[in-house]
């Protein structure tokens, strides 16, 4: 008999079918929620915004071990935790950058590390090392090389200590842990909030702890219904959306965000989004009408019914040949450059929009 679910860590119970941890029989190894997720992809109990980040960090602080912090490179801005060292006092942190295989190969590992070192400094985050990971959904030399690098880092930094894996929901943490353990025990899905409590496993003479994904309610992933998440979460290498513009234009990422560009001459717009998410381009003068008539129809998926419920963001002015990323957290980003006078972004009021130096 298992007291806790092997897939998500929740305590098993057979009294309330509508509550977390329910099993028809206490002899089961997986809760009913995990069973439905693993076999059918069904989300019977939605935990996208169900576990407070502070609660998870408290549990991590109670554990004695070196932290391996998984950060999704595609969703970098929504995965960073400002002043993380102050929230995990005394913990040594190794940064593991997941989903490397999603980004274009033209972005080298050296450039990724240099970029991350600068971003970590901006957010006052200090890590002992940076490991670039990817390829975890496939078997082969590349994924095995990452596993060996993490094992070596555990021997080097953790020494006789245990290791704790933490990261934002949907950062690829449990997929990575499954690879490290050489098993498929942990439940994985595209739905944030899959892991519900700390899961303990034996690993190379030490304890390995998988923890619930940290919650970020400023990310698209915390707001979209589960059936629509597959449209915005990339599973294949990105194919940038590229265009040159010479007049004012509007770009819609489905019906979730709109980027309006006022230009004085030639400008370049490059979009990095899931291949399943449609990008619509049109004249800025006609954008409001199109948004009003097609939001939730051609412009989908969508969280809003009209422009009135959306928040407006204004980007800083570009200088010279500078390139800037307009990041819609959890969704993707547009890289903009050229002779641009003004950039305005409209997105659901719960979603954070970030303007950063171009990553690619």
């Amino acid at each position: 008999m298992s007291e806790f679910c092997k897939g998500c860590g929740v305590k098993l119970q057979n009294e309330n079918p509508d509550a977390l941890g329910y099993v028809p029989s206490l002899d089961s190894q997986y809760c009913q929620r995990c069973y439905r997720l693993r076999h059918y992809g069904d989300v019977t109990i939605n935990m996208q915004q169900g576990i407070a980040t502070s609660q998870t960090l408290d549990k991590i602080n109670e554990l004695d071990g070196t932290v391996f912090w998984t950060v999704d490179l595609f969703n970098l801005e929504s995965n960073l935790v400002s002043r993380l060292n102050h929230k995990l006092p005394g913990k040594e942190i190794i940064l593991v950058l997941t989903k490397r295989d999603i980004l274009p190969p033209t972005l080298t590992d050296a450039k990724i590390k240099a970029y991350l070192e600068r971003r970590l400094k901006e957010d006052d985050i200090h890590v002992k090392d940076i490991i670039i990971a990817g390829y975890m959904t496939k078997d082969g030399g590349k994924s095995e090389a990452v596993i060996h690098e993490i094992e070596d880092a555990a021997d080097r930094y953790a020494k006789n200590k245990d290791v704790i894996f933490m990261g934002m929901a949907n950062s690829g943490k449990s997929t990575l842990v499954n690879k490290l353990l050489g098993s498929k025990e942990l439940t994985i899905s595209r739905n944030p909030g899959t892991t519900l409590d700390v899961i303990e496993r034996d690993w190379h003479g030490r304890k390995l702890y998988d923890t619930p994904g940290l919650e970020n309610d400023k990310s698209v992933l915390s707001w979209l219904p589960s059936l629509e998440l597959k449209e915005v979460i990339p599973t294949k290498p990105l194919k940038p959306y590229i265009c040159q513009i010479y007049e004012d234009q509007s770009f819609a990422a489905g019906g979730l965000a709109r980027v309006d560009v006022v230009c004085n001459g030639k400008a370049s717009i490059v979009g990095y989004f899931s291949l399943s998410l449609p990008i619509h381009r049109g004249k800025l003068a006609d954008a409001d009408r199109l948004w009003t008539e097609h939001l939730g129809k051609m412009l989908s998926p969508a969280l809003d019914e009209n422009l009135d419920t959306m928040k407006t963001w204004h980007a800083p002015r570009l200088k010279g040949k500078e390139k800037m990323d307009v990041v819609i957290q959890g969704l993707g980003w547009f890289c903009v450059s050229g002779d641009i006078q003004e950039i305005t972004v409209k997105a659901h009021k719960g979603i954070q929009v970030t303007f950063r130096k171009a990553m690619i």
Side-chain angles (χ1 to χ4, degrees), residues 11 166 224 269 350:
K11 188 172 183 179
M166 62 158 276
L224 266 183
I269 312 294

Side-chain angles (χ1 to χ4, degrees), residues 49-204:
Q49 299 181 31
I51 304 174
T53 291
S54 59
Q55 180 183 338
T56 299
L57 292 174
D58 286 344
K59 290 184 177 183
I60 293 171
N61 278 316
E62 291 173 0
L63 300 171
D64 183 19
T66 299
V67 171
F68 282 74
W69 174 33
T70 61
V71 168
D72 176 357
L73 272 168
F74 175 73
N75 286 315
L76 175 62
E77 299 306 323
S78 62
N79 273 232
L80 293 179
V81 182
S82 182
R83 296 172 59 84
L84 178 61
N85 305 87
H86 298 271
K87 297 171 183 176
L88 297 176
K91 291 280 195 294
E92 289 191 337
I93 301 171
I94 313 300
L95 176 59
V96 182
L97 300 170
T98 61
K99 306 185 185 180
R100 166 66 181 95
D101 43 323
I102 295 297
L103 299 184
T106 52
L107 179 64
T108 66
D109 287 359
K111 288 182 179 179
I112 290 174
K113 282 194 175 183
Y115 190 88
L116 261 294
E117 287 169 355
R118 183 180 65 80
R119 285 295 289 111
L120 293 175
K121 186 176 181 180
E122 290 174 355
D123 279 16
D124 192 23
I125 300 172
H126 306 277
V127 299
K128 299 293 290 185
D129 203 352
I130 298 176
I131 297 173
I132 298 179
Y135 319 101
M136 291 300 108
T137 58
K138 299 178 181 179
D139 295 323
K142 290 183 177 180
S143 63
E144 289 175 5
V146 172
I147 297 305
H148 291 319
E149 189 173 357
I150 292 173
E151 291 172 344
D152 290 343
D155 291 337
R156 186 164 64 254
Y157 296 108
K159 296 182 173 65
N160 296 323
K161 289 185 178 181
D162 298 327
V163 294
I164 306 159
F165 281 78
M166 62 158 276
M168 285 293 173
N170 216 266
S171 66
K173 173 178 52 62
S174 293
T175 299
L176 177 61
V177 170
N178 267 344
K179 278 285 188 179
L180 289 168
L181 296 173
S183 78
K184 297 182 179 180
E185 284 189 357
L186 304 185
T187 301
I188 59 173
S189 79
R190 66 171 64 91
N191 303 282
T194 299
T195 303
L196 299 178
D197 211 333
V198 175
I199 299 174
E200 177 185 320
R201 293 288 186 271
D202 292 323
W203 184 63
H204 296 303

